[in-house]
Amino acid sequence: MNLIDAKSWAEEMDVRVTVCDLKGTIVYMNQASALGMHKYGGVELIGKSLFACHNSRSGEMIAEMLNHPVVNVYMVEKAGERRLIRQFPWEEDGEHCGVIEISFPVPFDIPVKVRS
């Protein structure tokens, strides 16, 4: 995925999209991500290191994802909101380039539909 091409659809999604390169530097944030991170600098975070704004435990997990392309999925609950976080490898032409994180709200009363 070319980040320039991604902007056309990712900019207006209500899902937060953040991308970092193999050094852990934020190289892209869509509008929702920048707005969601406004109190930490918003769009000004582009070009900054993820390691500077995460604790050591999170930093170790980020380093692991940058060194070994794996998927990490979890839910976070903060300020009365629950969000699903999915972090996965950013790959282009089979080459690992960094990590993409998507984050979106999940209602507390969301129905679960089991299908066979």
Side-chain angles (χ1 to χ4, degrees), residues 77-96:
E77 192 173 315
K78 183 177 180 181
E81 181 181 56
R82 181 183 288 170
R83 298 188 72 81
L84 178 66
I85 313 295
R86 187 173 196 273
Q87 300 160 326
F88 54 97
W90 164 28
E91 296 184 351
E92 286 190 26
D93 299 322
E95 182 179 336
H96 183 48

Side-chain angles (χ1 to χ4, degrees), residues 57-83:
R57 182 175 179 273
S58 295
E60 289 173 11
M61 294 176 73
I62 292 166
E64 180 66 22
M65 287 186 289
L66 294 173
N67 290 321
H68 302 97
V70 296
V71 174
N72 184 37
V73 180
Y74 61 95
M75 295 256 287
V76 64
E77 192 173 315
K78 183 177 180 181
E81 181 181 56
R82 181 183 288 170
R83 298 188 72 81

Side-chain angles (χ1 to χ4, degrees), residues 30-115:
N30 71 348
Q31 290 177 21
S33 178
L35 286 172
M37 299 301 288
H38 73 277
K39 72 179 182 179
Y40 303 105
V43 73
E44 298 297 319
L45 292 170
I46 295 174
K48 303 276 175 36
S49 174
L50 287 174
F51 296 105
C53 56
H54 286 83
N55 64 36
S56 60
R57 182 175 179 273
S58 295
E60 289 173 11
M61 294 176 73
I62 292 166
E64 180 66 22
M65 287 186 289
L66 294 173
N67 290 321
H68 302 97
V70 296
V71 174
N72 184 37
V73 180
Y74 61 95
M75 295 256 287
V76 64
E77 192 173 315
K78 183 177 180 181
E81 181 181 56
R82 181 183 288 170
R83 298 188 72 81
L84 178 66
I85 313 295
R86 187 173 196 273
Q87 300 160 326
F88 54 97
W90 164 28
E91 296 184 351
E92 286 190 26
D93 299 322
E95 182 179 336
H96 183 48
C97 299
V99 173
I100 300 170
E101 176 182 279
I102 59 170
S103 167
F104 55 90
V106 176
F108 285 92
D109 61 348
I110 191 168
V112 175
K113 298 180 180 184
V114 178
R115 300 196 174 150

